[in-house]
């Protein structure tokens, strides 16, 4: 049913709802500041990749993932006062299937590392890792512990390291902002080569190195290397 | 102290075996144990009876049933050059200053000792840990397997012949799913198996619970810990007494309870090396420790709201807001938000920040606003019908069970056990101040929540009195540290077990000195480790969400459970 353009008794035409809402000078509505900025055409030309990177960086879903002391500071970063949500990276997701950033907040020990690997594997691509605190960089104060993994990079690749024991919430906010910047610039997670592996892989080109490392992974039976006398 | 001790009169009239004039009479205890005692040792905190490894239960039963030692506080295992040794540190819930140790040596080539599990249920996990880390086998233990390290681990890391050089391989295959593949029972379709954690928001960290369900109800559950076992005891054994150990206690119970934990080490080490602490430093310690307790309880309460009805928006944020206020004060005092490293042996690191008036005003502002904020919590939590329906009469922990599992802290006090080391085994400045021990008789999740909220009020009372004292303290008597030698070398073979009231309960340290500047054995008695053992009792027959509520009301922190 349409009441558009139905002549009334006095012969004038009624307006459609749309016309009535637009009012006089309908064009003004589209004359936004954006249009002013981009000139006469309301289109932005960009590469799709670039657009996607911008989107990814601006709306990040963090995984709700607490390990140790740093997770307390991470909670403070999410909550009042520091409020990570201001940076478009706010509400933690409880399921790895919904998340694209994992903050690793704490010491990783031999029993937990396979589990963390599993959670990381469950996240959809593209995914990013922020390692929080000294423990995820080198083992931190527990480096000499018989059970402690010397850094998150023994298990999963890391994009941003935030040092500190624990880092202040401001430091984590800075780390996340840096990650957003990298994502927006299209820099993806690097393939990390441990210093003690340089001898083995040092002469390979970057592409070959990625292939070589990928071949080494048996997806059915992920074995975590944990050999602390060899570790840096 | 206006603390009445209702049972003390009764105790005084009918004295127990082995007690004379309020002190433990070790000769009488030795007579009670008779031939089971083969030797006697003297530790700094108590005397120890050396018992043959096949007569452990006889000795412990006698001490528990006839002499009233109903609290097995800790089990320490260690390896000497010529023997293995397990020490059972026993106390009384009525008077924790009455202590006795039972020392059980076993031979090097066959380290088998009788299990204490039939006497004290808490010995279950303690002995599993002793097996895991030191390698002593306990005969008659119901479930002797590793507890902290992965099943595939080779060797016992705190034993003398352990080599850290050998690689340990942990495969995902062996740790993929510890329960049955299809999560269902073989013939009975009502039986289901469910993994909760180790990565799950409700487990407060990295705890894994293997649950067996009968329909919707919990039939059995087995907390699987060790996902944050970061070798705290090894770290402390590698550090020197004077400075290198103190940073680590901050990281046991990391929910802002740092100074409470540091105090546990400081108290044990000061008693071991016979160090005096100036009165002024004790007041500063008391004040900062209670600030930590408030911060810790705030997080417990707010995450409990998160567990019960997913209240991420209001109560959780309120809790964090109040924690930020406490952390600001502590940051002014210590320079750190979370890992304070503020206590030193013989005092504290430095004096209060200048200008002092401003600092005191900041604390007073916080304490003055606290009643209003607590009223907010009571409005939204304790008088909230939904929360009451979820928490009243769920997760019931009867006092006898709590004692048998060695539960302490708010968990014990929520079950009506009047036990608080700040009053019963006084240290610091607590015995000079006016405050009360909070207990609730509900034994359920609601009671434990109430205890925490009311303890915040008591902590605020203590802080106020400390600020009053510090304000009037004469300027030339502000002694923050006593004179402590740069290197501490306590006499060889002195042993001590000392505990303080941490945020979660009794936090104890066992140390043995071998004459060097590092402890030969450093054992941490964590309150959460014992409290978590009560979870199966609390949640049997309950629904999964009630089990989660019980877990939240236990307020465990995995850094302290696993150490």
């Amino acid at each position: 049913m349409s009441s558009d353009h139905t002549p009334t008794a006095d012969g004038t035409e009624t307006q459609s709802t749309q016309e009535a809402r637009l009012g006089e000078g309908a064009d003004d509505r589209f004359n936004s500041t954006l249009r002013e900025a981009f000139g006469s055409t309301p289109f932005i030309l960009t590469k799709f990749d670039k657009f996607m990177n911008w989107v990814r960086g601006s709306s990040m879903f963090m995984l709700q993932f607490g390990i140790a002391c740093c997770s307390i500071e991470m909670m403070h970063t999410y909550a009042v006062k520091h409020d990570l949500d201001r940076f478009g990276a706010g509400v933690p997701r409880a399921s790895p299937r919904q998340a694209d950033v994992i903050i690793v907040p704490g010491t990783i020990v031999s029993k937990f590392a396979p589990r963390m690997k599993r959670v990381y594997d469950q996240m959809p691509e593209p995914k990013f890792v922020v390692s929080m605190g000294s423990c995820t960089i080198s083992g931190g104060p527990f480096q000499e512990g018989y059970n402690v993994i010397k850094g998150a990079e023994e298990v999963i690749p890391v994009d941003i390291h935030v040092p500190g024991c624990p880092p202040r919430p401001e430091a984590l906010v800075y780390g996340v902002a840096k990650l957003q910047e990298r994502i927006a610039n299209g820099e993806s997670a690097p393939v990390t080569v441990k210093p003690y592996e340089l001898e083995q892989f040092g002469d390979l080109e970057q592409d070959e190195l990625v292939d070589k490392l990928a071949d080494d992974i048996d997806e059915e039976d992920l074995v975590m290397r944990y050999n602390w006398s060899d570790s840096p | 102290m206006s603390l009445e001790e209702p049972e003390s009169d009764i105790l005084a009239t009918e004295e127990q075996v082995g007690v004379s004039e309020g002190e433990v009479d070790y000769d009488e205890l030795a007579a009670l144990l008779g031939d089971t005692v083969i030797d006697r040792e003297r530790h700094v905190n108590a005397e120890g009876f050396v018992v043959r490894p096949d007569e452990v239960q006889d000795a412990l039963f006698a001490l528990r049933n006839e002499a009233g030692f109903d609290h097995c506080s800790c089990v320490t295992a260690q390896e000497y050059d010529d023997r293995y040794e397990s020490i059972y540190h026993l106390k009384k819930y009525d008077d924790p200053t009455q202590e006795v140790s039972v020392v059980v040596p076993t031979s090097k080539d066959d380290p088998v000792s009788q299990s204490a599990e039939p006497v004290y249920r808490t010995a279950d996990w303690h002995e599993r840990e002793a097996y895991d880390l030191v390698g002593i086998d306990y005969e008659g233990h119901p479930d002797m397997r590793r507890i902290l390290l992965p099943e595939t681990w080779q060797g016992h890391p705190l034993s003398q012949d352990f080599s850290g050089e050998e690689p340990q391989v942990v495969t995902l295959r062996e740790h993929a799913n510890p329960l049955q593949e299809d999560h269902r029972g073989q013939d009975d379709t009502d039986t289901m198996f469910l993994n909760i954690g180790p990565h799950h928001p409700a487990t407060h960290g990295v705890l894994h619970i293997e649950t067996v369900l009968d329909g919707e109800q919990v039939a059995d559950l087995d907390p699987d810990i060790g996902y944050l076992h970061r070798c705290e005891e090894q770290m402390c054994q590698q550090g020197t007494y004077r400075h290198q150990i103190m940073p680590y206690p901050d990281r046991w119970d990391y929910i802002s309870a740092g100074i409470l934990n540091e105090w546990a080490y400081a108290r044990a080490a000061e008693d071991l090396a016979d160090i005096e602490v100036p009165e002024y430093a004790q007041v500063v310690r008391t004040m900062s420790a209670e600030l930590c307790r408030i911060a810790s309880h705030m997080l417990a309460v707010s995450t409990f709201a998160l567990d019960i009805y997913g209240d991420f928006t209001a109560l959780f944020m309120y809790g964090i807001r109040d924690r930020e206020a406490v952390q600001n004060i502590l940051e002014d005092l210590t320079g750190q938000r979370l890992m304070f490293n503020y206590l030193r042996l013989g005092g504290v690191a430095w004096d209060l920040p200048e200008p002092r008036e401003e600092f005191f005003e900041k604390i007073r502002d916080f304490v003055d606003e606290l009643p209003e904020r607590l009223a907010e919590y009571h409005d939204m939590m304790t008088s909230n019908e939904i929360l009451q329906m979820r928490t009243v009469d769920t997760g019931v922990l009867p006092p006898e069970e709590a004692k048998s599992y060695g539960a302490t802290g708010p968990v014990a006090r929520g079950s009506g056990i009047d036990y608080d080391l700040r009053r019963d085994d006084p240290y610091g400045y607590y015995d000079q101040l006016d405050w009360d021990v909070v207990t609730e008789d509900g034994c359920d999740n609601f009671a434990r929540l109430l205890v925490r909220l009311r303890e915040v009020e008591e902590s605020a009372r203590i802080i106020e009195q400390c600020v009053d004292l510090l304000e009037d303290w004469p300027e030339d008597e502000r002694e923050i540290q006593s004179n402590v030698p740069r290197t501490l070398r306590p006499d060889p073979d002195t042993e001590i077990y000392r505990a303080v009231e941490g945020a979660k309960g009794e936090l104890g340290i066992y140390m043995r000195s071998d004459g060097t500047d590092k402890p030969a054995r450093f054992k941490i008695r964590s309150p959460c480790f014992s409290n978590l053992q009560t979870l199966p009792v609390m949640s049997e027959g309950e629904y999964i969400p009630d089990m989660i509520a019980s877990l939240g009301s236990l307020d465990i922190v995995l850094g302290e459970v696993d150490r």
Side-chain angles (χ1 to χ4, degrees):
Chain A
M1 196 181 82
S2 168
S3 60
D4 286 356
H5 305 287
T6 313
T8 50
D10 58 344
T12 54
E13 286 198 351
T14 52
Q15 284 178 311
S16 72
T17 317
Q18 191 184 13
E19 283 163 348
R21 290 233 175 113
L22 283 173
E24 294 285 313
D27 272 0
D28 288 348
R29 187 161 172 265
F30 299 103
N31 251 341
S32 61
T33 44
L34 258 183
R35 182 162 173 179
E36 277 166 30
F38 288 114
S40 58
T41 158
F43 300 105
I44 310 165
L45 286 178
T46 177
K47 282 190 213 153
F48 189 66
D49 271 5
K50 208 161 186 182
F51 174 70
M52 285 307 289
N53 283 334
W54 173 74
V55 170
R56 271 178 201 133
S58 310
S59 164
M60 300 201 299
F61 281 9
M62 319 302 242
L63 177 67
Q64 189 167 0
F65 189 67
I67 303 179
C69 337
C70 285
S71 57
I72 304 297
E73 286 295 69
M74 188 182 72
M75 281 160 64
H76 277 259
T77 318
Y78 286 136
V80 283
K81 187 170 173 187
H82 298 98
D83 189 14
L84 192 60
D85 207 7
R86 291 175 295 163
F87 304 94
V91 184
R93 321 300 300 187
S95 162
R97 308 276 184 202
Q98 301 168 344
D100 49 20
V101 179
I102 177 174
I103 299 178
V104 184
T107 319
I108 306 152
V109 303
S110 70
K111 200 170 173 180
F112 189 64
R115 300 302 166 94
M116 187 177 80
K117 173 78 181 152
R118 198 178 162 91
V119 168
Y120 175 77
D121 287 344
Q122 285 173 344
M123 288 165 57
E125 294 280 354
K127 50 194 167 188
F128 308 96
V129 182
V130 176
S131 88
M132 182 180 184
S134 306
C135 290
T136 56
I137 294 171
S138 65
F142 305 100
Q143 194 182 31
E144 287 169 24
Y146 49 83
N147 194 28
V148 174
I149 307 296
K150 315 296 176 275
E153 272 177 333
E154 304 270 310
V155 190
I156 57 178
V158 175
D159 294 270
I160 297 282
H161 290 288
V162 183
C165 189
R168 298 175 65 88
E170 292 89 332
L172 182 61
V173 170
Y174 181 71
V176 170
K178 273 285 171 200
L179 176 65
Q180 289 175 324
E181 200 180 305
R182 292 193 63 171
I183 296 172
N185 293 339
E187 296 166 24
S188 63
V191 174
T192 31
V193 180
K194 307 244 102 23
Y196 60 87
E197 285 175 338
L198 275 177
E199 212 174 311
Q200 195 181 346
F201 300 120
D203 53 337
L204 294 178
E205 291 293 317
Q206 181 74 10
D207 292 355
E208 294 174 53
L209 180 68
V210 174
D211 288 344
K212 172 92 177 87
L213 288 178
D215 285 346
D216 279 355
I217 299 171
D218 177 4
E219 284 169 26
E220 290 299 301
D221 183 22
L222 285 166
V223 176
M224 189 188 64
R225 289 167 307 158
Y226 173 51
N227 186 345
W228 91 266
S229 48
D230 284 357
S231 294
Chain B
M1 243 183 2
S2 73
L3 304 163
E4 73 276 51
E5 290 176 41
E7 282 162 39
S8 57
D9 301 335
I10 311 163
L11 277 177
T13 46
E14 43 164 321
E15 280 208 337
Q16 281 167 307
V17 180
V19 180
S20 53
E21 291 160 9
E23 300 271 319
V24 184
D25 186 342
Y26 291 104
D27 294 331
E28 203 177 322
L29 285 181
L32 172 73
L33 293 175
D35 289 343
T36 44
V37 178
I38 48 176
D39 197 4
R40 280 169 71 168
E41 283 184 12
R42 185 176 288 274
H43 300 176
V44 178
N45 60 313
E47 280 198 33
F49 296 122
V50 182
V51 169
R52 282 170 51 87
D54 54 354
E55 287 176 331
V56 179
Q57 286 182 12
D58 291 343
L60 291 179
F61 268 125
L63 285 172
R64 190 194 73 178
N65 297 342
E66 284 162 54
F69 287 96
D70 52 356
H71 181 26
C72 178
S73 182
C74 184
V75 180
T76 304
Q78 54 188 331
E79 187 179 5
Y80 287 84
D81 290 336
D82 58 338
R83 65 182 190 277
Y84 285 94
E85 195 176 273
S86 323
I87 308 175
Y88 296 86
H89 304 279
L90 307 182
K91 290 186 178 186
K92 293 177 182 175
Y93 270 104
D94 289 331
D95 182 3
T97 54
Q98 299 184 9
E99 297 175 67
V100 67
S101 304
V102 173
V103 183
V104 189
T106 49
S107 67
K108 271 287 233 205
D109 37 307
D110 185 26
V112 182
S113 168
Q114 202 176 30
S115 170
E117 197 270 346
V119 194
Y120 302 102
R121 302 282 295 278
T122 184
D124 181 349
W125 279 22
H126 282 288
E127 286 174 356
R128 273 177 69 188
E129 188 193 312
Y131 164 71
D132 194 356
L133 301 185
V134 183
I136 301 175
D137 202 359
Y138 290 90
E139 198 183 3
H141 188 282
D143 188 16
M144 204 71 233
R145 61 193 158 94
R146 288 192 182 274
I147 186 166
L148 293 174
L149 294 167
E151 287 291 322
T152 47
W153 193 269
Q154 304 294 310
H156 303 279
L158 293 185
S159 65
Q160 286 179 343
D161 57 354
F162 180 75
S163 151
E165 302 297 307
E166 296 159 29
Q168 303 278 351
V169 175
V170 185
T171 62
L172 184 62
R173 183 183 48 212
E174 279 179 70
H175 296 272
N177 182 5
L179 298 179
Q180 285 190 44
E181 194 50 46
D182 60 354
H183 297 272
R184 274 180 191 283
Q186 293 293 326
D187 349 283
D188 177 15
T189 46
D190 275 348
T191 306
M192 261 180 66
F193 303 100
L194 185 68
N195 283 307
I196 300 173
H199 155 240
H200 190 278
T203 54
H204 291 222
V206 281
L207 171 68
H208 173 210
I209 306 172
E210 295 168 11
T211 325
V212 182
L213 295 178
D214 178 17
E216 277 189 87
Q217 287 169 311
V218 176
D220 187 24
L221 63 85
D222 181 18
D224 176 22
I225 63 174
Y227 291 95
L228 194 54
H229 174 58
R230 43 188 182 181
C231 328
E232 302 271 15
E233 287 171 9
Q234 180 207 359
M235 291 296 117
C236 291
Q237 278 165 216
Q238 288 177 0
T240 54
Y241 291 104
R242 187 71 173 90
H243 290 297
Q244 289 179 350
I245 294 176
M246 198 55 95
Y248 285 100
D250 285 321
R251 288 157 180 86
W252 301 341
D253 174 359
Y254 45 72
I255 305 184
S256 283
I259 291 175
L260 294 159
N261 301 355
E262 286 169 27
W263 207 341
Y265 168 63
R267 188 179 186 206
E270 280 155 8
D271 285 359
L272 181 71
D274 210 8
I275 299 168
E276 286 292 314
V277 183
E279 212 176 333
Y280 179 73
Q282 292 284 27
V283 182
V284 177
R285 279 182 177 188
T286 310
M287 182 189 73
S288 49
E290 290 307 309
L291 282 166
C292 284
R293 192 182 308 275
I294 291 183
S296 181
H297 280 356
M298 284 295 178
L299 194 82
V301 166
S302 54
T303 50
F304 188 57
L306 204 57
D307 289 341
I308 298 287
Y309 37 53
D311 194 344
F312 189 68
T313 43
L315 275 167
F316 179 74
M317 294 297 174
Y318 287 5
I320 298 286
R321 175 198 65 190
D322 295 342
R323 272 174 58 84
E324 288 282 356
V326 182
Q327 284 188 323
N328 281 344
I329 296 172
L330 285 168
E331 193 184 345
D332 285 353
L333 179 66
T334 67
Q336 260 278 9
R337 275 171 60 88
L338 204 60
M339 303 300 168
F340 308 111
N341 192 15
Y342 179 60
L343 300 198
R344 294 286 179 274
L345 297 189
V348 294
W350 46 69
D351 201 354
L352 305 181
E354 295 285 348
R356 291 164 70 95
E357 298 74 37
E358 212 173 281
F359 180 67
F360 291 136
E361 202 185 312
K362 206 168 174 178
I363 299 180
R364 282 199 196 283
D365 283 351
F366 171 73
V367 174
D368 290 345
E369 277 175 29
L370 203 60
E372 204 179 309
R373 293 183 166 182
L374 281 170
E376 240 169 27
Y377 287 96
H378 282 295
D379 279 350
M380 291 187 69
M381 285 191 87
T382 51
S383 53
N384 181 330
E385 246 176 83
I386 303 173
L387 185 123
Q388 287 176 1
M389 280 169 70
R390 286 288 313 281
T391 53
V392 174
D393 282 335
T394 61
V396 176
L397 180 68
E400 310 79 49
E401 295 271 7
K403 284 184 180 178
S404 172
Y405 279 105
T408 48
V411 177
R413 292 194 283 273
S415 290
I417 301 171
D418 194 12
Y419 182 74
D420 191 324
L421 291 180
R422 288 175 290 172
R423 177 199 62 193
D424 299 338
D425 184 10
Y427 57 97
Y429 216 69
Y430 288 112
D431 52 352
Q432 317 277 324
L433 304 172
D434 178 31
W435 59 282
D436 296 312
V437 175
V438 175
T439 53
E440 289 283 338
D441 294 326
C443 306
D444 53 8
N445 293 338
F446 191 66
R448 289 185 279 275
L449 171 68
L450 275 183
V451 167
R452 292 208 175 84
L453 282 171
R454 288 177 53 199
E455 270 184 18
V456 170
E457 287 173 38
E458 295 301 325
S459 294
R461 271 176 76 186
I462 297 175
I463 293 167
E464 254 182 337
Q465 294 170 52
C466 288
V467 172
D468 287 342
L469 284 166
L470 291 173
E471 265 182 337
D472 301 335
W473 211 275
E475 198 168 342
D476 46 350
E477 287 172 30
R478 292 180 195 154
E479 198 189 341
I480 54 161
Q481 266 191 46
S482 58
N483 195 7
V484 181
R486 188 169 294 176
T487 310
L488 283 177
R489 286 193 186 81
D491 299 333
D493 280 321
T494 38
E495 299 174 44
I496 189 168
Y497 175 75
R498 270 277 182 272
V500 300
E501 186 73 23
K504 320 285 193 249
E506 180 180 336
L507 178 61
I509 309 285
Y510 167 85
M511 271 190 287
R512 176 168 63 88
S513 156
D514 58 357
T516 62
D517 56 350
K518 296 172 182 174
R521 178 79 173 101
F522 193 99
K523 161 85 186 158
I524 307 158
R525 188 267 184 205
S526 122
C528 296
F529 185 78
S530 298
N531 289 353
L532 181 59
Q533 286 187 69
T534 62
L535 188 65
V537 180
M538 288 160 69
S539 34
E540 216 173 294
E542 305 266 17
Y543 296 123
I544 288 271
D546 293 336
M547 190 274 280
I548 296 294
S550 306
L551 191 60
S553 78
L554 281 178
D555 186 26
I556 51 161
V557 42
L558 270 296
E560 203 176 56
V561 174
D562 296 345
R563 286 150 290 144

